[in-house]
Amino acid sequence: MVSYMKKSFNSITGYGESDLLPPAEYIATTPIHEDSDTDDCTGCLDPCANHKEYPSYLKIEKDRPVLGTVKPYGRHIIIATGATDWAKKIEKEPNTFAHSLSNAQHNVSHPSPCKNLVTNSSLDSVYSTSPGACDVMILPDNIIVSNVTSEKADDFYNLFLQTPLPTEPMDIELKMKDSRLGKMEIYRNPYKNLLLLCSHRKRDKRCGVTAPILAQEFDHILREKDLSEQDAAVIMVSHIGGHKIAGNVICYINEGTKGIWYGRVKACHVRIIVEETIINEKIVKDIYRGSMDNSFQKQEKKSFLKW
């Protein structure tokens, strides 16, 4: 009965509808194996003896389609904290930039032109020199802003999030002339590609358990492919939604201009994600959740979810 109700709900809401996929030229072709025990997506036997499995107690949903489970958003703001776990709701944690930025977003009279996804991350603040300041990465603008403090949250919001989505790389030299920056400085994002893994254990144990397993496998495959950290950085992030379909991975490719979301990712999927998404810039259909706005041209329907 429960399985039937889930299927009925999925058909009503639109989860799994094929028109949520990007155009065919962006979809990777996966081989079909004659052996019925082999997963066509990963090429691994089911169950797999070669990759670490998730503990059975995690209770990851297997019936619900992952396609269509990304809320539309135009920008991703990634705050460097150096940690891999955070308070359950980062926007409510006092004395943090996430909290101050949340307040700034709610207090403005003119909201930003698109929805913003804000997450903490395991990135270290390597550019900031001011006490108590942090680095903040902004995609698809593909920049890092340093010396960001809670006191500058309003200026940060007005300078970087109330602007239209970029159609070309930012003129950093011109932007740096704005007096509202204060001590904030702007740098080009040094990473060609990003692999963001939700590791937010205090929000949901499933993400806290799956992320380290995936990170270990990503590190292994990236080394095997001779890809450096600048080629593809593996970063832990806070809650992005979808903990019931962990592990959750966001791949930012093409210098941060395309954001591809995957759900129910296992260690078995890591190789195909690296080969098809990071290297070939194509999506893996079986685990594809959705994408950041404007990631793919000629895609009319992007999501049926709303904020």
Side-chain angles (χ1 to χ4, degrees):
M1 175 61 75
V2 173
S3 179
Y4 172 77
M5 289 176 66
K6 285 183 178 179
K7 291 179 180 178
S8 298
F9 174 75
N10 293 334
S11 63
I12 293 170
T13 58
Y15 285 116
E17 289 185 1
S18 60
D19 57 354
L20 291 169
L21 290 167
E25 61 263 32
Y26 296 110
I27 300 175
T29 301
T30 53
I32 298 176
H33 297 85
E34 294 183 2
D35 184 353
S36 60
D37 292 329
T38 300
D39 186 302
D40 289 334
C41 177
T42 64
C44 293
L45 291 174
D46 186 17
C48 178
N50 297 321
H51 297 98
K52 189 171 183 178
E53 295 284 330
Y54 298 144
S56 58
Y57 65 77
L58 290 184
K59 300 188 185 307
I60 294 168
E61 280 195 1
K62 297 182 178 180
D63 295 330
R64 174 185 176 186
V66 300
L67 180 59
T69 57
V70 176
K71 292 181 179 180
Y73 72 104
R75 274 194 174 96
H76 193 167
I77 296 87
I78 304 168
I79 305 168
T81 71
T84 59
D85 196 17
W86 306 269
K88 186 173 183 179
K89 294 191 175 182
I90 63 170
E91 70 277 9
K92 296 186 182 297
E93 182 70 4
N95 304 315
T96 64
F97 181 66
H99 180 249
S100 299
L101 183 59
S102 177
N103 289 338
Q105 290 187 112
H106 287 100
N107 293 337
V108 293
S109 55
H110 301 288
S112 63
C114 63
K115 287 292 184 181
N116 299 310
L117 174 64
V118 179
T119 60
N120 283 342
S121 78
S122 61
L123 283 168
D124 290 318
S125 293
V126 297
Y127 295 98
S128 293
T129 55
S130 299
C134 65
D135 295 350
V136 180
M137 182 184 293
I138 307 174
L139 304 173
D141 307 72
N142 205 37
I143 59 171
I144 292 177
V145 185
S146 69
N147 295 320
V148 180
T149 62
S150 294
E151 293 75 20
K152 295 292 288 183
D154 289 337
D155 286 329
F156 178 92
Y157 182 87
N158 292 326
L159 281 164
F160 300 107
L161 307 187
Q162 277 201 318
T163 58
L165 291 173
T167 57
E168 57 186 20
M170 177 185 289
D171 185 338
I172 292 178
E173 186 176 352
L174 177 62
K175 192 78 169 181
M176 282 297 297
K177 294 178 180 179
D178 196 308
S179 61
R180 291 174 295 175
L181 282 168
K183 293 183 179 180
M184 290 187 288
E185 295 185 350
I186 308 169
Y187 300 87
R188 189 73 60 200
N189 177 15
Y191 305 111
K192 295 178 183 177
N193 303 285
L194 298 168
L195 289 153
L196 307 187
L197 317 182
C198 182
S199 63
H200 202 163
R201 189 183 186 95
K202 288 187 178 72
R203 188 69 179 250
D204 192 280
K205 182 185 291 186
R206 284 168 283 204
C207 292
V209 172
T210 58
I213 295 172
L214 292 175
Q216 184 177 29
E217 187 65 16
F218 272 117
D219 287 341
H220 168 67
I221 299 299
L222 291 170
R223 285 197 301 270
E224 180 186 298
K225 299 292 183 182
D226 198 26
L227 294 174
S228 68
E229 185 180 17
Q230 281 66 42
D231 292 322
V234 179
I235 299 167
M236 304 296 195
V237 294
S238 60
H239 180 65
I240 57 174
H243 45 256
K244 293 180 180 180
I245 50 172
N248 286 292
V249 178
I250 308 176
C251 302
Y252 283 108
I253 62 174
N254 197 31
E255 297 187 337
T257 59
K258 292 182 179 179
I260 298 167
W261 290 51
Y262 292 126
R264 215 151 43 223
V265 179
K266 301 184 294 184
C268 301
H269 293 113
V270 168
R271 178 177 295 277
I272 194 170
I273 289 174
V274 171
E275 291 177 348
E276 293 297 347
T277 304
I278 300 301
I279 297 175
N280 295 332
E281 298 190 358
K282 294 182 179 292
I283 71 153
V284 181
K285 180 180 175 181
D286 287 7
I287 52 175
Y288 178 69
R289 290 184 59 186
S291 63
M292 178 173 66
D293 295 351
N294 303 325
S295 292
F296 300 103
Q297 296 179 350
K298 298 182 292 183
Q299 182 178 356
E300 295 182 4
K301 191 173 182 180
K302 300 171 184 176
S303 177
F304 62 87
L305 294 179
K306 297 181 180 180
W307 290 84

